[in-house]
Amino acid sequence: MPRLAAASLAGTAIEFYDFFVYGTAAALVLGPLFFPTFSPAAGTLAAFGTFGIGFVARPLGAVVFGHLGDRRGRRPVLVVSLLLTGASTVAVGCVPSYGAIGVAAPVLLLVLRFLQGLGLGGEWGGAVLLTAEHAPAGRRALWSSFPQVGPALGFVLANGIVIALSATLSAAEFARWGWRVPFWAAGALALAGLWLRSSLTESPRFLEIDDHARVPLIEVLRHHGRLVLLTAGALAAGYAVFYTVTTWSLAYATERLGVSRTVMLTCVMAAVLVMGALTPLAALLGDRYGRRPMCLTGCAASALWMFPMVALLATGEPLLMFLGILGALLAFVTMFAVIAAYLPELYEPRVRCTGAAVGYNLGGVLGGALTPLVATTLAERGGRVPWGVGAYLSGMALLSLACFALLPETRPVPVAVAEPVTKPVTG
C-alpha cells in the first residue's frame, strides 16, 4: 500500500501541476499576451475563460477514460492520461503570443487547454480507484487520501517555480519567456511519473469482475443518473472554494490591491501546504466517523467562512490574507479528504470508474469552470471588499450541503465478534 499510494500521489501531483500552472499563468500574464486588444480586466476574464475550458473537457475525459478503466482496467488509464496532459502542457509553453501569430494564438491556447482537461478528467478516476480498490476496508479513506494530497503538491510545485522565476527575472523577462518555463518542465515531470507507475499492478476488484459493462456510460446514466447529479452538486462547493482562493485571489490581490505577485503566491502556497499535510488526518476521521458527516461539516464551515475570508483578503495584509485562505482550505479539505473513498463506494465495481469520475468532474464544471469568471465580475462591480464573491461561495456551499444530505453513508461497518459465553463453575 505505501508504494502504491506514493505512485498515485506522485502521478496526481504531476497532472495537477500541469493544470494549476495554467491557472497561475492565466491570473498573471496570459491576458496581456494573448488578448492584448482587451482592457486589463477584460483580458483577465478572457484568460480565465480559457482556464474554464479545461473544466468543460474534464467530464468528457471522465467518459473516455472511464470507459477504458471499466473495460480494460484502471492501470492503462494512468499511463494514457498522464501522457496526454503532459504533452499538451509542454505545447502550451511553445505557443507564440498574439503579437506573433494573431488570433491563432488564443485558439491554440484554447485547444491545448481542452486537451489538458481531457487528460485530467481520466487521471483522477484511475489513480483513486487503483488505490481504493487495493486498500483494506477499515483504512480505505486514509490510503485513498494520498492521491488527494497530489493536487496540493502540484499546486505548490507550480507556484514555487513561478515564485523563483519572478524573483530572478524582471517583469519584462517573465512576460517575454519566463512564464513558459513551468510549462516546459512538465515534460520531465511526466516522464518521471510514467517511470513511477510502470511497476503498478492492476486493481484486484477489477480482476474479480466477470461481466464487464458493455457501454459503462449508458449503464451509469440508466441506473445511477440521480447519483451522478447529486455527487456533482455535492462537490461543486469544494471546487468553487479551492479555485477562488488559488486562482481568482491571485488576480484580485495583484491587480486590485497592489499586492506583489511573490507575496500573494507565498500566502496561497503556505495555506495549501498546511491543507496537504492535514489531508490524511481528515481522512482518518472519515474512517472513524464516516464519509458523509465529514462532508456535511466541510460544507457548513465553507458557508460560514466565506464572508470573513473575503474581508480578510481585502485588507491586503499578508498575514490576514493567509488566515482567510487557510480557513477556506481547511473547510475544503474536510470534504475532499474522504471523497476518494466515498465516491467509489457509491458505485458498483463494473461501472465504478465511469460513475465516480463523471460525478467528480461534473462537480468541477459546476464549481470550478465559471467561478474565477464570476468572482472577477462580482469583484469588479463591488467596492474594496468583494462581498458578492462571499455571497456566491456561501450559496454554493449551501447547495452542496443539500446534495450531501441526500447521499447515503458508505463507511464499511466492522463486524462485531461475539464473545464466548462462559458458565460459572460450581464446586
Side-chain angles (χ1 to χ4, degrees):
M1 285 308 306
R3 184 172 60 87
L4 179 62
S8 295
L9 185 156
T12 53
I14 292 165
E15 292 234 27
F16 276 92
Y17 164 88
D18 297 348
F19 205 71
F20 289 144
V21 77
Y22 190 99
T24 303
L28 299 177
V29 296
L30 294 188
L33 290 175
F34 289 88
F35 304 96
T37 58
F38 293 12
S39 68
T44 300
L45 283 171
F48 280 148
T50 62
F51 175 76
I53 289 296
F55 286 97
V56 175
R58 283 175 65 169
L60 181 58
V63 171
V64 173
F65 288 102
H67 184 93
L68 176 65
D70 284 324
R71 294 283 299 170
R72 302 298 179 188
R74 319 318 190 194
R75 189 173 175 272
V77 171
L78 300 183
V79 175
V80 180
S81 63
L82 187 60
L83 281 172
L84 177 60
T85 309
S88 55
T89 304
V90 172
V92 169
C94 300
V95 176
S97 66
Y98 184 94
I101 60 173
V103 73
V107 171
L108 283 173
L109 205 63
L110 204 66
V111 171
L112 292 171
R113 179 60 176 174
F114 184 86
L115 293 176
Q116 262 193 332
L118 202 69
L120 191 63
E123 158 67 24
W124 186 87
V128 163
L129 285 191
L130 202 62
T131 307
E133 292 182 340
H134 273 91
R139 285 289 179 264
R140 187 174 293 136
L142 172 63
W143 288 114
S144 300
S145 71
F146 285 92
Q148 295 296 83
V149 178
L153 293 181
F155 181 87
V156 170
L157 183 60
N159 287 279
I161 292 176
V162 172
I163 287 178
L165 290 167
S166 297
T168 54
L169 300 176
S170 67
E173 289 173 327
F174 184 82
R176 188 166 62 251
W177 61 268
W179 69 272
R180 299 180 184 274
V181 174
F183 290 91
W184 295 336
L189 292 174
L191 292 176
L194 289 173
W195 176 77
L196 283 170
R197 290 180 166 182
S198 62
S199 62
L200 296 182
T201 58
E202 186 52 79
S203 158
R205 293 295 294 129
F206 175 79
L207 296 175
E208 292 170 2
I209 300 172
D210 295 322
D211 182 24
H212 295 282
R214 187 177 181 85
V215 184
L217 179 63
I218 292 178
E219 284 201 28
V220 167
L221 295 178
R222 183 179 298 160
H223 302 296
H224 306 286
R226 177 178 179 272
L227 182 58
V228 169
L229 293 176
L230 283 177
T231 53
L235 299 178
Y239 278 104
V241 169
F242 188 84
Y243 285 101
T244 294
V245 300
T246 60
T247 299
W248 168 79
S249 68
L250 295 176
Y252 170 73
T254 55
E255 294 174 9
R256 290 286 300 276
L257 305 180
V259 178
S260 79
R261 178 189 303 158
T262 302
V263 168
M264 191 58 198
L265 284 172
T266 302
C267 288
V268 177
M269 281 176 58
V272 171
L273 273 174
V274 175
M275 179 201 75
L278 293 178
T279 299
L281 176 60
L284 272 175
L285 295 176
D287 277 326
R288 177 70 182 272
Y289 299 107
R291 290 54 160 133
R292 188 167 166 268
M294 295 293 291
C295 294
L296 292 172
T297 301
C299 285
S302 296
L304 293 172
W305 186 248
M306 291 304 101
F307 286 104
M309 184 198 75
V310 296
L312 291 168
L313 277 179
T315 65
E317 295 293 330
L319 179 58
L320 295 179
M321 297 174 81
F322 164 75
L323 292 175
I325 292 168
L326 179 61
L329 291 180
L330 292 181
F332 162 82
V333 81
T334 305
M335 291 181 273
F336 270 59
V338 299
I339 286 300
Y342 194 18
L343 260 63
E345 290 169 347
L346 288 169
Y347 294 89
E348 58 183 308
R350 68 198 305 269
V351 295
R352 183 174 284 162
C353 195
T354 299
V358 169
Y360 185 83
N361 288 290
L362 276 178
V365 175
L366 294 175
L370 296 178
T371 290
L373 287 168
V374 172
T376 301
T377 303
L378 292 173
E380 286 292 324
R381 295 178 179 177
R384 179 178 176 84
V385 181
W387 297 117
V389 176
Y392 171 74
L393 294 174
S394 293
M396 291 290 288
L398 292 175
L399 168 67
S400 292
L401 184 71
C403 291
F404 274 124
L406 295 172
L407 289 171
E409 177 57 75
T410 62
R411 179 172 64 101
V413 178
V415 178
V417 179
E419 295 185 2
V421 178
T422 57
K423 294 181 179 180
V425 177
T426 56

